[in-house]
Amino acid sequence: MVSLNSHKKNLYRFWKGEILWNKPMSQYSTLKVGGPAEAVITATDIDELTGLIKWLKENEISWWIIGRGSNILVPDKGLPGVTIMLEGKFTGIEKLFDLQDQAENHVFIRVGGGCSLAKAVNYCTANSLSGLEFAVGIPGSLGGAVVMNAGAWGYEIGDLLDSVIIMNGKGEVHEVQRDGLDLTYRGWGMKRDTILLYACLKLTINTQEEIKAACSRFQELRKKNQPVNELSAGSFFKNPPEHSAGRLIDEAGLKGYSIGGAKISEKHANFIINTGNASAAEILELMLLVQDKVYERFGIKLEPEVHILGSGI
Ligand SMILES: Cc1cc2nc3c(=O)[nH]c(=O)nc-3n(C[C@H](O)[C@H](O)[C@H](O)COP(=O)(O)OP(=O)(O)OC[C@H]3O[C@@H](n4cnc5c(N)ncnc54)[C@H](O)[C@@H]3O)c2cc1C
């Protein structure tokens, strides 16, 4: 797979929509670091995306799919090839009446991969649908949430999934039932060139009062325990089995430790924050230091939860 180089003109001729050239990825990442993406393209429906993925495959060009950039670390040298984002039809939400199982008090909704979790939570609240309250304050997209099997306070998005519609690296579209996704703690088992187009969520009917109360409770917990006003990608490391990554980092004496503009949050040691002018290299250096110190002290290797984008698809 290669960067665009000699294919720039061909891409310009092929793609009818807007192409953003050399856009700093810091604009698309909540950590606000990362060098330029060679080209950024927004796909608005399945036909557009199929054409694009097939063209990229034929021309052997690297590509990336991102959501809201709230769980990625992009290197300072940027991303070669095409960075794809989902908009338009991929941001919609609809009720699937044919699947509705009144007897069990369940409602099924289909949410686009580019839809923000905030919009999905608001939709659920407005329609008296319970299940997604835990996602209040998670700043990602539905696509990113399914790929990460995002979760909080003991709940995971995977628990709500009925099925998904995905596109593979050849531009083919398939429906996959929940069990076929091999969901794990903060991940799914699909190949890296899989794009989440739509997810069908199974929700429970409840009163708006109870849904709103749960959302407020989770929001308060977040504000109390996490550095919500700092630049971060959320929890940087996965919790090792039987351990809390934040506690291990704290007990290794690293709370508040910084390298350049990258700092271990004083409020929650599993958050690496950008104090304003961090580079991706500084964040990576701090990540390695944390891994070394925690390993030295406890013999536990912390694994990043944040996806470090390196070589493309
Ligand atoms: C302040 C803060 C709090 C957070 N709290 C939580 C939390 O409580 N729980 C939690 O689990 N996470 C949390 N996160 C992390 C993050 O918000 C979630 O993992 C979120 O689901 C990522 O979604 P995204 O759209 O931003 O994905 P991105 O960061 O854009 O991408 C993440 C990965 O998913 C892939 N991806 C994105 N969209 C698609 C798609 N449509 N198809 C295929 N692959 C795709 C990307 O290639 C990348 O590998 C937090 C982050 C922040 C900044």
Side-chain angles (χ1 to χ4, degrees):
M1 287 296 192
V2 292
S3 67
L4 276 164
N5 291 327
S6 58
H7 290 283
K8 278 190 177 166
K9 263 193 190 154
N10 292 342
L11 177 63
Y12 185 72
R13 282 193 205 109
F14 161 77
W15 186 253
K16 301 290 172 257
E18 192 178 21
I19 305 173
L20 301 171
W21 302 102
N22 294 316
K23 267 282 182 187
M25 282 301 294
S26 50
Q27 290 181 8
Y28 299 105
S29 140
T30 55
L31 269 169
K32 298 283 175 235
V33 299
E38 238 182 325
V40 177
I41 284 181
T42 300
T44 61
D45 64 28
I46 289 184
D47 286 348
E48 273 186 14
L49 190 61
T50 305
L52 179 61
I53 295 298
K54 285 186 173 166
W55 187 88
L56 290 166
K57 188 172 168 58
E58 274 161 27
N59 291 285
E60 298 188 341
I61 289 165
S62 299
W63 59 270
W64 317 81
I65 174 91
I66 61 161
R68 302 283 156 141
S70 62
N71 209 54
I72 52 170
L73 176 57
V74 180
D76 296 316
K77 67 175 192 292
L79 296 178
V82 176
T83 298
I84 304 168
M85 297 194 300
L86 303 181
E87 279 291 343
K89 290 195 176 156
F90 296 120
T91 61
I93 307 177
E94 60 178 323
K95 268 189 195 167
L96 298 174
F97 290 101
D98 50 330
L99 285 179
Q100 198 152 329
D101 183 348
Q102 293 281 6
E104 285 193 48
N105 215 22
H106 286 135
V107 170
F108 292 80
I109 63 170
R110 192 168 75 168
V111 187
C115 177
S116 72
L117 282 170
K119 180 176 165 182
V121 171
N122 287 340
Y123 176 95
C124 288
T125 309
N127 288 277
S128 304
L129 302 176
S130 175
L132 206 54
E133 296 90 323
F134 74 88
V136 159
I138 303 182
S141 65
L142 224 291
V146 173
V147 171
M148 300 303 307
N149 194 10
W153 324 117
Y155 302 90
E156 286 177 340
I157 191 97
D159 299 335
L160 302 174
L161 280 178
D162 176 69
S163 60
V164 298
I165 298 174
I166 52 142
M167 184 178 289
N168 66 19
K170 296 180 195 154
E172 296 163 347
V173 176
H174 297 285
E175 182 170 359
V176 183
Q177 299 304 308
R178 182 191 183 280
D179 287 350
L181 296 174
D182 295 331
L183 291 160
T184 56
Y185 163 60
R186 296 297 172 270
W188 72 348
M190 305 303 278
K191 283 171 70 179
R192 269 189 63 210
D193 59 1
T194 308
I195 302 179
L196 187 294
L197 307 178
Y198 295 97
C200 175
L201 305 182
K202 186 180 181 183
L203 300 155
T204 311
I205 297 169
N206 199 351
T207 64
Q208 277 193 5
E209 288 65 36
E210 283 196 36
I211 295 167
K212 282 183 185 165
C215 287
S216 304
R217 212 167 50 243
F218 291 139
Q219 192 70 284
E220 280 310 308
L221 276 174
R222 218 168 255 283
K223 280 194 199 143
K224 194 170 156 223
N225 298 307
Q226 299 178 3
V228 289
N229 295 321
E230 310 275 4
L231 304 177
S232 80
S235 294
F236 202 93
F237 298 98
K238 293 181 185 175
N239 288 322
E242 319 294 327
H243 290 280
S244 144
R247 197 167 307 129
L248 294 172
I249 299 167
D250 190 1
E251 285 173 13
L254 291 169
K255 239 184 193 176
Y257 191 90
S258 60
I259 295 180
K263 184 176 173 187
I264 307 289
S265 164
E266 309 263 7
K267 195 163 186 182
H268 192 311
N270 197 17
F271 279 62
I272 294 185
I273 57 175
N274 175 359
T275 57
N277 58 356
S279 62
E282 287 167 349
I283 293 175
L284 283 167
E285 204 182 324
L286 188 53
M287 175 193 92
L288 292 173
L289 180 130
V290 169
Q291 285 177 318
D292 284 352
K293 295 281 180 208
V294 167
Y295 190 76
E296 258 171 41
R297 177 88 193 265
F298 304 103
I300 296 172
K301 175 94 197 276
L302 290 180
E303 196 188 319
E305 177 177 320
V306 170
H307 283 193
I308 300 161
L309 303 189
S311 54
I313 294 162

